[in-house]
Amino acid sequence: MDLINFANFNNPWDFECILFLRIGASILFAFLLGLEREITGKFAGLRTHILVSAGACVFTLLSIYAFKMQVMEGFVGVNDPARIAAQIITGIGFIGAGTVMRHGNNIYGITTAATLWMCAAIGMACGTGMYSAAATATIFSLIVLILVRKFERSFLSSKSYASKLLEIRFSAPIVHLEAMNELVDKKFDKIQKIERKIINDDKGSCISIKMRIMTNCPLREVNDTFSDKDFIEKLEIQEIDE
């Protein structure tokens, strides 16, 4: 397709279909990455990834076509497609920074920020019509997010992290006492101290558990152990230096 001479389109709707197809492709690919982040319970999920990818696609389309149209209609200006596209990367940096959180000595959200960055790149690829590049990037990104995570947890978690002492506090309605005890017994085998307390308030009775464990698992994995359980109402994890 000739990017400069729009007269080459036989039908005025041909160009509109191209725009619709490219924006739609950017949304589809971003949906796949956003779905993975949504399933794993990350802060930036489907809507954020879709909007980032679609926005990058639209900005790329504007940088390629909009200013060419302006010049063709007699407006004087500089036609530099790379100028707007280059600013997309800078803008994504601000959004990615909003997903990164620090808790003590630990930092969370870097992978999600990198996924948003990749979504912007995929959106730009769709904006230029490079569907094969966008599809390939999406597939390999999913492989990294899903399969490499399993590899880390299966082969690296117990070998790459030094042992640390954690204090964990969590609570849930007392009807889930058996499930909480099962969670503690199955997931943690190096418990140094554990306290159980029943709390009665206006909302009813709940069981609160406070324990100290020694583990070499990353805090992310320990947090995921609890965050997957819907019945847990409060959770605090703190690394203790002794």
Side-chain angles (χ1 to χ4, degrees), residues 6-16:
F6 292 92
N8 286 348
F9 291 106
N10 297 323
N11 190 310
W13 285 102
D14 289 347
F15 180 65
E16 302 298 332

Side-chain angles (χ1 to χ4, degrees), residues 9-41:
F9 291 106
N10 297 323
N11 190 310
W13 285 102
D14 289 347
F15 180 65
E16 302 298 332
C17 291
I18 290 294
L19 299 183
F20 180 83
L21 179 61
R22 294 185 181 183
I23 296 174
S26 70
I27 292 175
L28 174 62
F29 294 134
F31 175 85
L32 298 176
L33 292 180
L35 181 62
E36 191 280 336
R37 295 284 86 187
E38 192 80 42
I39 292 174
T40 52

Side-chain angles (χ1 to χ4, degrees), residues 34-45 112 223-224 227-228:
L35 181 62
E36 191 280 336
R37 295 284 86 187
E38 192 80 42
I39 292 174
T40 52
K42 306 306 178 182
F43 293 107
T112 300
N223 181 75
D224 290 346
S227 61
D228 292 341

Side-chain angles (χ1 to χ4, degrees), residues 16-200:
E16 302 298 332
C17 291
I18 290 294
L19 299 183
F20 180 83
L21 179 61
R22 294 185 181 183
I23 296 174
S26 70
I27 292 175
L28 174 62
F29 294 134
F31 175 85
L32 298 176
L33 292 180
L35 181 62
E36 191 280 336
R37 295 284 86 187
E38 192 80 42
I39 292 174
T40 52
K42 306 306 178 182
F43 293 107
L46 277 172
R47 291 177 297 175
T48 305
H49 285 78
I50 289 174
L51 290 175
V52 164
S53 181
C57 180
V58 171
F59 276 120
T60 303
L61 288 169
L62 290 174
S63 67
I64 295 174
Y65 296 110
F67 301 103
K68 288 184 173 67
M69 292 179 175
Q70 295 285 330
V71 172
M72 290 176 62
E73 293 177 1
F75 292 94
V76 178
V78 178
N79 181 25
D80 184 5
R83 181 173 297 181
I84 293 180
Q87 302 307 313
I88 296 175
I89 301 174
T90 304
I92 293 303
F94 289 98
I95 299 177
T99 66
V100 178
M101 299 183 64
R102 179 172 181 175
H103 181 73
N105 295 326
N106 302 285
I107 298 176
Y108 303 93
I110 295 180
T111 302
T112 300
T115 308
L116 288 171
W117 185 59
M118 176 60 74
C119 264
I122 291 171
M124 293 177 67
C126 291
T128 59
M130 300 179 66
Y131 302 116
S132 58
T136 302
T138 301
I139 293 171
F140 279 103
S141 296
L142 288 173
I143 290 174
V144 170
L145 290 172
I146 298 173
L147 298 184
V148 174
R149 182 198 300 118
K150 293 182 178 180
F151 174 80
E152 288 177 341
R153 294 182 176 180
S154 300
F155 299 100
L156 301 181
S157 293
S158 60
K159 301 176 182 179
S160 303
Y161 296 89
S163 295
K164 51 186 169 289
L165 183 63
L166 300 180
E167 182 176 275
I168 304 174
R169 300 184 183 185
F170 60 104
S171 61
I174 197 169
V175 294
H176 298 291
L177 175 59
E178 183 177 347
M180 293 178 70
N181 289 332
E182 183 179 352
L183 174 64
V184 171
D185 295 337
K186 286 187 175 182
K187 295 293 184 179
F188 305 101
D189 55 356
K190 297 181 180 179
I191 301 176
Q192 294 188 346
K193 181 181 179 181
I194 186 168
E195 299 176 3
R196 293 177 173 87
K197 181 170 36 174
I198 297 177
I199 302 174
N200 297 309

